[in-house]
């Protein structure tokens, strides 16, 4: 889950690639639903879902709906798809899944429908078809581009636990006191979800989202559907290929995960990639000391970061009333971690501004926040993004069980802290899943080959390149495009690599994978 500060990174993984450290207490409220869902195939009571007629209309839901207006301006329409809450009981309660469609204009050469997912988990894709069509160049006109909000996300029967924070990804802090506060916080976050959404939590999972995708395919009248997924969306796409072999056409997985490593503790093991990304940013910032005042060498900038984190243990006030935010050593590492998922100048400038503000606050100086940093802080430390954090965590906890004993997390934190003092206490920290019910189903195993096109940057700080290589090895019919030299999460269509974009678009145009794996080089200038 990345936790993102910039627009492109926010697109690529929506609030992030899921770093939570979750585990499970077993509340009786959930236990009654521990049954195995029926396979989502036509028949078995599911025909009415696959054969439903969709009522396409305006995407605009009100005068302040900028997403709807942008979709309408681009010529898209929206519809709700009805799906069962529980696929084991298709005649029971139903929910709706919202989607948008930007129809193909080159109907003579139409390929089919392309469903998109921008990650998270819990990220919305409803507003993204115009952006994807632009990235696809000429081939975009040959597809109906489908933006789907997964179940309980965005406009799809949204889930909100009423959290006081916007996500559940925090550091354990610099000592035991911070960790104990984290244990109490995450126990409370889990309790809030149980109190508000116990009836639906057992049905929040990637496998059920994949089942919904297949209902969407059927409702669209498609024999097969193509797919473009970023970050967590690569895991969702992989799960779909395994659950529904033969029902997909062209599949692009950008920022790919090793599905064997997917769990609520997904960020464990990415410390080195993030330390490298932070060091690369520090070298960039050192050349701009006159702008940010963080140090004239990489070492000096990194030392400034360390001082900021140390000072945050006593609390930092960022901004001025009424837009003032109090942050501590459990939150500042998350702010830094979330900001370094891209290596573009624009993204690095945002990190420079944020660290500069925190550095002034650490010195006791007054600070002023940019609109972007204010929004970032609101999304993390207030209830503004409670929905996003709630559903992201519910998906992770509903997919894979995590350890329950808080002391296990503390031992992992302490072991990691020596080698990775900044990021180890974050990537190994406890989360709400430590107090969640166990998932209804076992995680999906890769047993079927899928001729997908996988895209990965060698320095990806969120989904390391090793994960893309591992997925490539599991899907033996796949091909891998590697972008060398970039500390970048999410490449196709947003990073400016002509090499990557052309290879992906050629595949989407022809359906033919490259003859061999491809290596591209980070663009310069």
């Amino acid at each position: 889950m990345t936790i993102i500060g910039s627009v492109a990174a926010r697109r690529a993984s929506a609030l992030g690639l899921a770093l939570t450290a979750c585990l499970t207490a077993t509340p009786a409220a959930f236990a009654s639903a521990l049954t195995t869902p029926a396979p989502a195939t036509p028949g078995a009571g599911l025909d009415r879902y696959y054969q439903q007629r969709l009522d396409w209309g305006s995407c605009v839901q009100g005068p302040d709906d900028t997403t709807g207006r942008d979709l309408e301006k681009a010529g898209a329409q929206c519809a709700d798809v009805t799906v069962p809450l529980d696929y084991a009981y298709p005649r029971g309660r139903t929910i709706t899944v919202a989607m948008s469609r930007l129809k193909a204009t080159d109907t003579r050469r139409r390929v089919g429908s392309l469903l998109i997912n921008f990650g998270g988990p819990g990220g919305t894709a409803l507003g993204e078809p115009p952006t994807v069509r632009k990235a696809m160049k000429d081939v975009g006109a040959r597809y109906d581009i489908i933006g789907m909000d997964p179940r309980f996300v965005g406009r799809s029967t949204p889930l909100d636990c009423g959290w006081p924070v916007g996500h559940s990804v925090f550091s354990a802090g610099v000592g035991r006191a911070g960790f104990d506060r984290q244990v109490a916080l995450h126990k409370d976050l889990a309790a809030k979800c149980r109190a508000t959404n116990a009836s639906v939590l057992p049905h929040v999972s990637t496998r059920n989202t994949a089942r919904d995708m297949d209902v969407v395919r059927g409702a669209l009248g498609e024999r097969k559907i193509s797919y473009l997924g970023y970050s967590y969306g690569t895991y969702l796409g992989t799960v779909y290929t395994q659950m529904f072999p033969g029902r997909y056409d062209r599949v692009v997985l950008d920022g790919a995960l090793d599905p064997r490593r997917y769990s609520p503790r997904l960020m464990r093991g990415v410390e080195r990639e993030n330390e490298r990304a932070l060091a690369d940013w520090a070298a960039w910032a050192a050349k701009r000391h006159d702008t940010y005042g963080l140090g004239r060498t990489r070492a000096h900038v990194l030392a400034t970061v360390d001082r900021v984190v140390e000072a945050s243990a006593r609390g930092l006030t960022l901004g001025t009333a009424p837009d003032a935010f109090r942050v501590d050593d459990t939150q500042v590492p998350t702010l830094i971690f979330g900001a370094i998922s891209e290596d573009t100048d624009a993204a690095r400038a945002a990190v420079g501004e944020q660290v500069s503000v925190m550095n002034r606050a650490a010195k006791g100086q007054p600070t002023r926040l940019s609109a972007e940093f204010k929004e970032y802080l609101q999304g993390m430390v207030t209830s503004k993004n409670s929905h996003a954090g709630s559903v992201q965590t519910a998906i992770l906890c509903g997919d894979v069980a995590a350890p329950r004993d808080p002391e296990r997390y503390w031992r992992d934190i302490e072991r990691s802290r020596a080698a990775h003092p900044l990021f180890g206490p974050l990537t190994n920290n406890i989360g709400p899943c430590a107090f969640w019910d166990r998932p209804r189903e076992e995680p999906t195993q890769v047993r079927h080959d899928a001729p997908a096109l996988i895209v990965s940057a060698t320095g990806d700080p969120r989904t390391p390149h090793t994960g893309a290589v591992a997925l490539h090895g599991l899907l033996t019919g796949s091909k891998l495009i590697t972008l060398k030299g970039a500390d970048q999460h999410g490449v196709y269509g947003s990073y400016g690599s002509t090499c990557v974009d052309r290879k992906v678009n050629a595949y989407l145009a022809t359906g033919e994978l490259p003859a061999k794996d491809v290596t591209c080089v980070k663009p310069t200038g």
Side-chain angles (χ1 to χ4, degrees), residues 8 23 71 86 92 109 133 146 223 259 275 286 292 319 331 344 391 486 503 510:
L23 223 235
L71 285 167
D86 184 349
R109 298 189 299 161
R133 174 157 290 179
I146 308 297
R223 187 174 64 87
E275 287 166 349
Y292 302 110
Q331 297 159 329
T344 63
V391 70
K503 292 294 183 182
T510 64

Side-chain angles (χ1 to χ4, degrees), residues 409-457:
Y409 295 91
W410 178 246
R411 290 192 297 270
D412 289 342
I413 288 164
E414 289 296 273
R415 277 194 292 266
S416 181
R417 192 191 300 274
H420 310 291
L422 177 58
F423 294 131
L426 187 156
T427 60
N428 289 276
N429 195 21
I430 197 167
C433 299
F435 308 99
W436 217 266
D437 188 28
R438 297 188 68 85
R440 298 184 70 192
E441 300 183 77
E442 292 298 316
T444 302
Q445 302 297 315
V446 175
R447 295 191 174 95
H448 305 288
D449 190 18
L453 184 60
I454 302 170
V455 181
S456 176

Side-chain angles (χ1 to χ4, degrees), residues 23-93:
L23 223 235
T24 318
T26 320
F30 301 164
S32 63
L34 296 179
T35 57
T36 302
T41 54
L46 293 169
D47 285 11
R48 69 186 180 106
Y49 298 105
Y50 278 85
Q51 297 170 9
Q52 65 187 288
R53 294 190 61 178
L54 301 179
D55 183 17
W56 294 100
S58 174
C59 297
V60 180
Q61 293 192 332
D64 299 325
D65 183 8
T66 56
T67 296
R69 287 203 304 273
D70 289 345
L71 285 167
E72 187 168 70
K73 184 178 179 180
Q77 290 186 308
C78 290
D80 287 337
V81 181
T82 301
V83 298
L85 172 67
D86 184 349
Y87 277 87
Y89 300 99
R91 292 180 176 83
R93 178 179 169 185

Side-chain angles (χ1 to χ4, degrees), residues 168-198:
S168 59
V169 184
F170 298 101
S171 173
V174 299
R176 180 74 197 209
F179 176 71
D180 289 342
R181 293 198 307 272
Q182 286 292 295
V183 172
L185 170 66
H186 293 298
K187 187 175 183 179
D188 181 62
L189 296 181
K192 281 181 165 56
C193 283
R194 188 175 307 124
T196 55
N197 291 278

Side-chain angles (χ1 to χ4, degrees), residues 41-264:
T41 54
L46 293 169
D47 285 11
R48 69 186 180 106
Y49 298 105
Y50 278 85
Q51 297 170 9
Q52 65 187 288
R53 294 190 61 178
L54 301 179
D55 183 17
W56 294 100
S58 174
C59 297
V60 180
Q61 293 192 332
D64 299 325
D65 183 8
T66 56
T67 296
R69 287 203 304 273
D70 289 345
L71 285 167
E72 187 168 70
K73 184 178 179 180
Q77 290 186 308
C78 290
D80 287 337
V81 181
T82 301
V83 298
L85 172 67
D86 184 349
Y87 277 87
Y89 300 99
R91 292 180 176 83
R93 178 179 169 185
T94 63
I95 59 175
T96 57
V97 170
M99 65 179 185
S100 59
R101 179 176 67 178
L102 193 57
K103 294 191 72 173
T105 55
D106 187 353
T107 55
R108 185 177 63 84
R109 298 189 299 161
R110 181 181 179 275
V111 175
S113 293
L114 174 74
L115 193 146
I116 56 179
N117 182 281
F118 279 84
T124 175
L126 186 117
E128 300 296 347
T131 303
V132 171
R133 174 157 290 179
K134 182 178 179 181
M136 294 173 71
K137 308 295 185 184
D138 293 344
V139 72
R142 298 174 56 195
Y143 284 86
D144 289 356
I145 303 174
I146 308 297
M148 181 181 114
D149 282 355
R151 57 170 49 202
F152 307 114
V153 173
R155 299 185 183 183
S156 296
T157 316
L159 179 153
D160 190 340
C161 299
W163 282 2
V165 292
H167 62 75
S168 59
V169 184
F170 298 101
S171 173
V174 299
R176 180 74 197 209
F179 176 71
D180 289 342
R181 293 198 307 272
Q182 286 292 295
V183 172
L185 170 66
H186 293 298
K187 187 175 183 179
D188 181 62
L189 296 181
K192 281 181 165 56
C193 283
R194 188 175 307 124
T196 55
N197 291 278
S199 65
V200 302
L201 290 180
H203 312 291
V204 187
S205 71
T206 297
R207 288 178 65 85
N208 277 335
T209 297
R211 293 180 174 106
D212 295 343
M213 286 170 54
D214 202 55
V215 170
V216 166
R217 176 197 58 78
L220 290 171
E222 301 283 14
R223 187 174 64 87
K224 295 183 178 183
I225 197 165
S226 294
Y227 180 81
L228 168 64
Y230 294 85
S231 192
Y232 160 81
T234 69
Y235 178 71
L236 172 61
T238 300
V239 169
Y240 183 81
T241 68
Q242 301 307 298
M243 292 180 67
F244 300 98
R247 299 190 198 172
Y248 56 87
D249 185 7
R250 300 161 201 192
V251 176
V252 179
L253 307 175
D254 189 337
L257 291 163
D258 179 351
R260 297 168 299 188
R261 288 195 65 251
Y262 175 79
S263 80

